């Protein structure tokens, strides 16, 4: 298979179910510290032993009792709460309507294989994938009740994220949460390749620890993740190339200066610049499609030259830093709407690669899952 090919990961069948697990947690002084990533570095087969040494030195804890975890974290003024547990991935959906987990972009099989190999050697899920859903009222009621008790852990990490964690071990509460989430459908916000790696591990060793993968389920109605745009730089494309392509597809290309162009950015309007010249590009974006789809599906194929490659940039500043007059063109995109993304995936479509940026993500090391625990 072409290593650059992008494919759709399989769909997991409902009901959506998170199981308890014995959480591994780095010590607060280690969470958010870039040097802590060394614990998960090569050789991967030595990671479990390495973490065992950290535990002996008091730099890692391993809960004795399986639990679901309510994890609340605050970063950059945004507070997010999610339920963390083991996502049941053991059943595949044969029809889209049966699916409980909805990816919104494709994956590179070679990258998913590499991650599966790495997790297998480490015997760990190092971090939860992020899922978002519109939680039933019953879920919020249960978790609000949990939050009336004192958290089991409360700390500010090295990256200045503030964390509060409640370990939910009561069987009745866990059962109630299972019933309340069973009918939900969740969108993958972050971790498409790790999700695909979970499925590969399950294909290799079904019937054991690989039947599940670590996930955090966030209620987008309660503490929403911020959904930002990911901008593009088209290498080898000139601004006049887009003007010619726009004419051929009936889009409106208008030369501009920087401030008016940026002010016009919106659902139908993209901003173009090579760092010297500026323009807006207004596309006819149907109600059930995103601007990034129109860019990739309608405009890019009719460009008279290039792009030699497309790079992705999470900030306007970074995209502009890579724009080069007469050579590399920055395309600033509007942020997609969460409900639009949900409608797109529910219709069976995927967005182009790196179309969304859900933020903030929790620091590495807050909750880890050992595959040795089963």
């Amino acid at each position: 298979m072409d290593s650059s090919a992008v494919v759709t990961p399989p769909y997991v069948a409902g009901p959506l179910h998170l199981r308890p697990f014995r959480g591994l947690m780095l010590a607060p002084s280690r969470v958010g510290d870039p040097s802590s990533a060394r614990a998960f570095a090569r050789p991967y087969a030595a990671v479990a032993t390495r973490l065992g040494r950290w535990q002996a030195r008091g730099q890692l804890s391993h809960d004795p009792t399986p639990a679901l975890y309510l994890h609340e974290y605050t970063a950059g003024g945004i507070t997010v709460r999610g339920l963390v547990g083991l996502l049941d991935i053991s059943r595949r959906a044969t029809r889209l309507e049966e699916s409980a987990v909805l990816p919104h972009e494709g994956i590179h099989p070679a990258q998913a294989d590499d991650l599966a190999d790495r997790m297998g050697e480490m015997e760990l899920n190092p971090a939860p994938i992020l899922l978002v859903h519109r939680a039933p009222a019953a879920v919020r009621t249960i978790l609000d009740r949990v939050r009336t008790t004192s958290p089991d852990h409360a700390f500010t990490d090295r990256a200045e994220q503030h964390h509060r964690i409640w370990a939910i071990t009561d069987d009745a509460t866990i059962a109630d949460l299972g019933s309340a989430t069973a009918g939900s459908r969740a969108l993958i916000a972050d971790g498409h390749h790790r999700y695909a790696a979970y499925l590969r591990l399950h294909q290799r060793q079904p019937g054991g620890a690989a039947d599940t993968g670590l996930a955090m389920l966030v209620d987008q109605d309660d503490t929403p993740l911020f959904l930002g745009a990911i901008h593009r730089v088209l290498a080898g494309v000139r601004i006049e190339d887009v003007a010619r392509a726009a004419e051929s597809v009936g889009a409106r290309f208008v030369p501009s200066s920087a401030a008016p162009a940026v002010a016009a950015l919106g659902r139908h309007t993209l901003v173009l610049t090579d760092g010297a010249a500026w323009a807006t590009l207004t596309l006819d974006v149907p109600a059930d499609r995103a601007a990034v789809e129109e860019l990739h599906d309608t405009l890019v194929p009719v460009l008279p030259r290039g792009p030699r490659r497309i790079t992705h940039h999470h900030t306007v500043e970074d995209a502009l830093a890579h724009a080069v007059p007469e050579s590399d063109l920055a395309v600033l995109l509007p942020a997609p709407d969460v409900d639009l993304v949900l409608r797109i995936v529910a219709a069976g479509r995927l967005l182009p690669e790196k179309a969304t940026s859900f933020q903030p993500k929790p620091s590495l090391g807050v909750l880890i899952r050992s595959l040795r625990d089963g």
Side-chain angles (χ1 to χ4, degrees), residues 214-344:
L214 188 61
M216 172 182 277
L217 183 64
V218 175
D219 180 359
Q220 193 69 8
D221 287 329
D222 182 26
T223 56
L225 290 159
F226 172 77
L227 179 52
I230 301 181
H231 310 290
R232 269 62 174 152
V233 172
L234 310 183
V237 175
R238 300 179 181 182
I239 201 164
E240 56 265 30
D241 295 332
V242 178
R244 291 172 58 189
E247 185 177 359
S248 71
V249 297
R252 185 167 178 257
F253 176 92
V254 179
S256 180
S257 56
V262 172
L265 182 65
R267 170 167 160 71
H268 294 269
T269 302
L270 316 184
V271 175
L272 315 171
T273 182
D274 60 6
W278 289 76
T280 59
L281 179 71
T282 302
L283 299 162
D284 180 15
V285 182
D288 63 343
R289 288 178 64 82
V292 67
E293 291 182 281
E294 294 301 313
L295 171 68
H296 284 268
D297 296 346
T298 302
L299 188 80
V300 168
V302 299
L303 288 169
R305 76 184 90 201
R308 293 193 305 270
R309 66 184 178 281
I310 299 176
T311 57
H312 307 93
H313 304 270
H314 285 75
T315 66
V316 169
E317 293 77 13
D318 189 47
L320 297 182
H322 288 80
V324 179
E326 300 296 311
S327 174
D328 297 340
L329 185 69
V331 181
L332 308 184
L333 289 156
D337 177 79
V338 172
D339 287 322
L340 174 60
V341 176
L342 286 167
R343 291 198 302 272
I344 287 169

Side-chain angles (χ1 to χ4, degrees), residues 59-133:
Q59 296 175 328
L60 177 83
S61 63
H62 194 179
D63 281 355
T65 304
L68 292 178
Y69 296 87
L70 177 58
H71 179 194
E72 177 186 279
Y73 60 97
T74 301
I78 299 175
T79 295
V80 176
R81 280 188 293 275
L83 189 63
V84 183
L86 302 185
L87 175 69
D88 185 351
I89 59 165
S90 62
R91 300 176 310 282
R92 300 290 182 272
T94 57
R95 295 179 297 117
L96 182 62
E97 305 79 56
E98 300 171 345
S99 58
V101 177
L102 298 168
H104 68 268
E105 64 180 47
I107 56 99
H108 296 276
Q111 186 176 341
D113 282 337
D114 179 66
L115 284 171
D117 292 343
R118 190 182 307 179
M119 287 185 202
E121 289 184 55
M122 290 191 296
E123 298 182 276
L124 291 174
N125 295 153
I129 63 173
L130 275 180
L131 307 175
V132 297
H133 74 143

Side-chain angles (χ1 to χ4, degrees), residues 133-159:
H133 74 143
R134 304 289 191 189
V139 173
R140 288 192 291 276
T141 298
I142 296 167
L143 296 183
D144 284 347
R145 188 167 64 242
V146 170
R147 290 172 53 231
T148 63
T149 65
S150 297
D152 295 275
H153 306 272
F155 62 92
T156 299
D157 70 22
R158 296 290 291 275

